[in-house]
Each structure stands twice: as structure tokens, then as C-alpha cells.
Amino acid sequence: TMALGGVRVLELAGLAPAPLCGMILADFGAQVVRIDRLSRSSGAHGDVQARGKRSLAVDLKRPQGAAVLRRLCGRADVLSVMERLGLGPEVLLQENPRLIYARLTGFGQTGIYAKSAGHDINYLALSGVLSKLGRKNENPYAPVNLLADFAGGGVMCALGIVIALFERSRSGRGQVIDASMVEGVAYLSSFLWKSQKLGLWSQPRGENLLDGGAPFYEIYRTSDGKFMAVGAIEPVFYNQLIKGLGLNLDELPTQMSLSDWPEMKKKFASIFAQKTQAEWCSIFDSTDACVIPVLSFDDAASHPHNKERSSFIKNDHGEMSPRPAPVLSRTPAVPSVKRDPFIGEHTEEILLEYGFTKQEIAKLYSDKAIEFKNLKANL
């Protein structure tokens, strides 16, 4: 039995952060049902993070469809929503006091931006984190949509759900989760906030220890156009870096001489450019210089370290993706290797599990309130 075995989750189909949250819960054993709009009105759902989920297609704009969701919530443990449906937590928690109602939005449920549109880059900006990201003398730089959407949104929402489930085991009561991507990514940046007085971020953006200013915490191009990531912060690691580069420590400025960092970066760059990535790996792999190759997705999946740990898994269609993390010793995640569900593929079996009769299901279908991918003959 996985850690979240038996937990029933309803996920209203939405954009990237919510599907990640649902996939995390499914990977660790929750029974996740994705509530899809009817395919004839919504087209492709765009959920590439549907591993382990089932799909129920229902028209929530019809009263009968909204009634279906309301009835499902009466037996569910978690409802994850990203949009307003008229089924607020007050109503649903009154009918099912154990329900955990997770609201995942960009700006949160309150505040002057609460109803405003936005994306990862906007949430990063409002959190203050974006101001810290980027190279010297360049504009702030947003690293795709990993930080706010997925880390501050999907992962933090999943954490909130697990925390609420744990609390419910003592109180017997559900609650509402207000998961804001702005606040989620700001919380992730707590170290940046709390280390300001340590001098780690006293220089302009791109000139500090961990943001590209230091020559020993940088990415360097190799002769074959690939890259090596260097993170030799501690002196003992820095010494091994210098040795691997074929330099003499006594002939160089001290490691923390900030005024010499720009010239040292140029020196390191010229040396790294003289060998291939593979050649540098052969030099540094047996050391603690904290020098690691920058791998493509394909190379990461085939790297000996990751292969030994089975860090990447392959589904039935041969598609590779990261395995669930972290690894639990006694109840590890066992992710599904089946293909992602079609819209409405599991409508009938889910409704039957949640107490609907075949006659009720047939009526909902005839009223065009639900949809089946493959309609059973007896309906």
C-alpha cells in the first residue's frame, strides 16, 4: 500500500500547476479523478501530467453536471480547483465536513490582484524572486515556468493537501487551502530573504556568490559546445577545482577576492574551452571539485548515476520521465506506466464507484451532461 492509498481526489482539469499537484498525489497512491469538460466543447485537455489519473467527462455548465460534481464531493477526500464554479467550499464542506478544498491560483483568494490574470513570470515578479534572477548588466531572467507554476504552485499545493490530510486524521475535519503561486515561490525563497544580512546578496544582481558572480560557481562551455557546471564554494573543493584545471593555487588571487572574480572567470572559461565535456568528466568525476556535466534530458536519463538509482522511468509507450521523489523506504511511490487517460474514458466506472446507478448514468448521458470515450452497449 502506498502512502496515500485510499485517498480520493477530484481534480478539475486545468493548467500545468494543478495537474502536477494531482500527479504527485496519484504517484503516491491517491485515487485521482480528473474532471474534464466534454471533448466536443473543450478539445484537447493539454494535461501531460495525467500519470495514474482517471478521466470523468461532465458538463459543469449544465445543472445536472454541476449536481454530479456536488454529489462526488460528498464522498471525496480532496477537491482541487483552479476556477470558480459556483460550488464554494462553504456549501461543500457543510455537506462533507471531511472534504479538503484546495484552491490553487496565481495571486491567492484575496488582495487587489486576486481576480487578475497572470502567469509564472508575473507571480515571480510580485514575489520579489525575479529581481534576484539574471546576469550582470542584463534584465531579470525567468527560468521557464518551473519556479512559480510548478514549485510554488503545484508542489506547494500538494504539500498543503498532505498537511491537511494529516491534520484531519486527528480532528476529523477538512479545511480550505488557499494556495497562491506568489506566496508559494516567495516561501521557497526564504533563504534569500533570511540571508540578506550575511552579505551573500550585497552586490548587484549577477555579481554575488550564487548568482553567477563567482568564478567557482558558474557554467563553462567546453570545446565540443557542451557545458560544465562548477559549484566549488568551500576551500577544500575549490582547491580540487584549481588542481583539475592545471593551475597553481599560490599563483592566483585568493578565492574570495571579489575584485578579481571577473578576470578569474575569463581564465577559467578559456581553460574549460580547451577540452571536451567528456574529457573534463574524466578529470573531475573522481574528485570532490563539485564539477558536473550539464546534461540534456536524454543524457540525464542514461547517465550511470541516474540509471543506478532508476531516477527516470519509461511508460508503456516508451516515454521517459522522472520517477516520483522523494523515495520512501517502506511505502514508496509506484507510478503508473500506462498511457494517459482519454477524456471521459472512465466516466461510467467512476460514477458507479461513487454510488450512481446505471439508470442514473444513462439519464445523465441522454441529457448530454456526461460523456463516455467508449459508450457501453447496455447504456
Side-chain angles (χ1 to χ4, degrees), residues 242-275:
I242 295 303
K243 181 180 178 181
L245 292 176
L247 296 172
N248 189 331
L249 194 64
D250 296 332
E251 298 173 358
L252 300 175
T254 59
Q255 180 183 357
M256 299 306 294
S257 177
L258 273 63
S259 61
D260 291 303
W261 280 2
E263 283 304 313
M264 289 296 292
K265 288 181 71 171
K266 292 179 183 178
K267 182 184 288 289
F268 287 4
S270 68
I271 297 174
F272 271 106
Q274 295 171 17
K275 289 182 172 66

Side-chain angles (χ1 to χ4, degrees), residues 167-379:
E167 190 280 334
R168 193 185 70 176
S169 68
R170 296 180 295 187
S171 69
R173 300 170 58 196
Q175 56 185 306
V176 181
I177 297 170
D178 179 1
S180 154
M181 295 182 218
V182 173
E183 292 169 354
V185 73
Y187 190 33
L188 287 171
S189 73
S190 293
F191 171 76
L192 305 186
W193 286 83
K194 291 179 172 293
S195 64
Q196 291 180 93
K197 294 181 180 179
L198 300 180
L200 289 175
W201 313 103
S202 57
Q203 302 300 314
R205 182 177 60 252
E207 299 181 38
N208 298 279
L209 180 69
L210 300 176
D211 64 2
F216 48 84
Y217 200 88
E218 180 58 284
I219 299 163
Y220 293 102
R221 183 185 291 269
T222 58
S223 64
D224 53 349
K226 298 181 180 181
F227 299 91
M228 300 297 291
V230 177
I233 299 175
E234 293 81 357
V236 63
F237 303 150
Y238 181 73
N239 292 349
Q240 294 190 51
L241 167 65
I242 295 303
K243 181 180 178 181
L245 292 176
L247 296 172
N248 189 331
L249 194 64
D250 296 332
E251 298 173 358
L252 300 175
T254 59
Q255 180 183 357
M256 299 306 294
S257 177
L258 273 63
S259 61
D260 291 303
W261 280 2
E263 283 304 313
M264 289 296 292
K265 288 181 71 171
K266 292 179 183 178
K267 182 184 288 289
F268 287 4
S270 68
I271 297 174
F272 271 106
Q274 295 171 17
K275 289 182 172 66
T276 66
Q277 185 186 72
E279 288 173 329
W280 286 119
C281 288
S282 67
I283 291 172
F284 285 114
D285 271 359
S286 59
T287 74
D288 278 334
C290 302
V291 179
I292 296 291
V294 177
L295 302 178
S296 67
F297 276 11
D298 287 342
D299 289 341
S302 61
H303 191 278
H305 174 84
N306 295 332
K307 288 185 70 173
E308 183 179 331
R309 288 183 54 80
S310 302
S311 299
F312 296 88
I313 56 177
K314 185 181 293 186
N315 67 11
D316 288 346
H317 286 194
E319 298 168 334
M320 296 292 294
S321 62
R323 78 163 176 187
V327 178
L328 305 183
S329 65
R330 192 168 46 79
T331 58
V334 183
S336 171
V337 294
K338 297 180 181 178
R339 61 160 174 77
D340 291 348
F342 299 124
I343 290 178
E345 180 175 355
H346 308 95
T347 298
E348 181 188 11
E349 70 177 58
I350 292 167
L351 292 178
L352 288 171
E353 286 177 13
Y354 276 76
F356 288 75
T357 65
K358 291 209 170 191
Q359 291 72 27
E360 289 175 316
I361 296 171
K363 181 66 166 61
L364 288 167
Y365 179 79
S366 66
D367 290 343
K368 295 182 169 55
I370 60 174
E371 177 182 86
F372 300 94
K373 180 62 183 178
N374 294 306
L375 183 62
K376 296 294 178 65
N378 62 346
L379 291 176

